[in-house]
Amino acid sequence: AQRVTQPEKLLSVFKGAPVELKCNYSYSGSPELFWYVQYSRQRLQLLLRHISRESIKGFTADLNKGETSFHLKKPFAQEEDSAMYYCALLYSGGGADGLTFGKGTHLIIQP
Amino acid sequence: EPEVTQTPSHQVTQMGQEVILRCVPISNHLYFYWYRQILGQKVEFLVSFYNNEISEKSEIFDDQFSVERPDGSNFTLKIRSTKLEDSAMYFCASNPGPTSTDTQYFGPGTRLTVL
């Protein structure tokens, strides 16, 4: 079965410092990977997905199939980046499969 | 910008009672989902719905759960006889398609408390 691991429950960095949120997955096929973000009192929203290979709000993530990782990075953290970040995997089981989420990392950007 | 809406935002019920959680997906979306998140745990997939029928369901989605799309706008999750362990946040999501792998857009959630 597929699994997503986010090893850090909490990550605190200073404003302007680089950020890396770790995500590892286990899945035997070709997964689609996503990062969702949940700001305080707001809904889950898509931050980025690996197939689009774009940078959103300065964040990037590269799928590394050899290491089965999809780490989220930003070179210079901003206070508004403080939020819960969830890595998620979608596998193609034939139907409309649901996302498999990691437990999430709470990112706190200190001024 | 259109958003998925869910009602109520918080539901309190007694153990053994039936509850219906309501969702209005984004208009013209094709795929619909329910997820739940027990406090302190990860978001878990329950069920997906496409073309007026269940497409996929997880092990959590047992006989006490059911989903309906009774009209062109609502998507409901019914829990027939609630248990204490059903207390959780329940999220609805919709996906515009045309494929099942397109982006899922989430609602704000309904907090269900079973006493």
Side-chain angles (χ1 to χ4, degrees):
Chain A
Q2 65 281 1
R3 189 168 66 241
V4 175
T5 303
Q6 293 179 251
E8 303 133 332
K9 196 171 180 180
L10 174 66
L11 182 64
S12 180
V13 301
F14 286 101
K15 177 181 169 182
V19 173
E20 183 179 47
L21 295 132
K22 292 186 166 47
C23 172
N24 288 91
Y25 66 91
S26 64
Y27 175 55
S28 56
S30 288
E32 294 212 34
L33 283 145
F34 304 78
W35 277 99
Y36 276 82
V37 61
Q38 187 173 32
Y39 300 103
S40 180
R41 301 181 191 282
Q42 295 187 28
R43 65 188 67 205
L44 277 164
Q45 53 187 281
L46 179 70
L47 182 61
L48 51 80
R49 57 189 296 177
H50 88 271
I51 60 169
S52 62
R53 299 189 65 81
E54 57 187 342
S55 172
I56 304 292
K57 299 185 180 183
F59 285 97
T60 58
D62 290 316
L63 178 61
N64 185 325
K65 290 187 178 180
E67 295 183 359
T68 59
S69 68
F70 188 56
H71 303 326
L72 183 68
K73 300 177 184 178
K74 184 169 182 176
F76 307 104
Q78 299 171 293
E79 287 185 67
E80 54 264 35
D81 296 329
S82 295
M84 280 293 295
Y85 290 80
Y86 294 94
C87 183
L89 177 155
L90 186 67
Y91 70 97
S92 297
D97 300 292
L99 293 160
T100 299
F101 283 88
K103 286 190 175 182
T105 297
H106 187 187
L107 177 64
I108 297 174
I109 308 301
Q110 299 189 49
Chain B
E1 187 176 334
E3 292 183 325
V4 176
T5 59
Q6 291 185 243
T7 53
S9 57
H10 189 190
Q11 172 113 32
V12 181
T13 190
Q14 295 289 327
M15 189 170 57
Q17 294 296 304
E18 174 184 287
V19 294
I20 297 176
L21 308 182
R22 302 180 192 280
C23 168
V24 179
I26 296 172
S27 181
N28 296 323
H29 279 204
L30 300 179
Y31 298 86
F32 314 107
Y33 310 81
W34 282 102
Y35 293 81
R36 79 172 185 192
Q37 185 177 29
I38 296 171
L39 187 64
Q41 299 187 24
K42 59 178 69 177
V43 177
E44 301 172 291
F45 167 70
L46 294 178
V47 65
S48 63
F49 196 85
Y50 171 70
N51 205 24
N52 288 318
E53 61 183 18
I54 289 175
S55 179
E56 298 287 340
K57 58 183 181 179
S58 71
E59 293 176 353
I60 304 168
F61 193 86
D62 60 22
D63 291 344
Q64 70 159 344
F65 291 95
S66 62
V67 289
E68 267 193 335
R69 187 157 162 81
D71 52 41
S73 60
N74 291 284
F75 180 50
T76 62
L77 175 69
K78 182 192 291 185
I79 309 175
R80 190 171 57 218
S81 177
T82 50
K83 304 172 189 163
L84 295 176
E85 53 266 36
D86 293 327
S87 294
M89 279 290 284
Y90 287 81
F91 295 104
C92 174
S94 68
N95 158 4
T99 72
S100 63
T101 57
D102 287 300
T103 299
Q104 296 179 30
Y105 295 85
F106 283 78
T110 292
R111 179 170 300 283
L112 176 65
T113 302
V114 182
L115 302 175

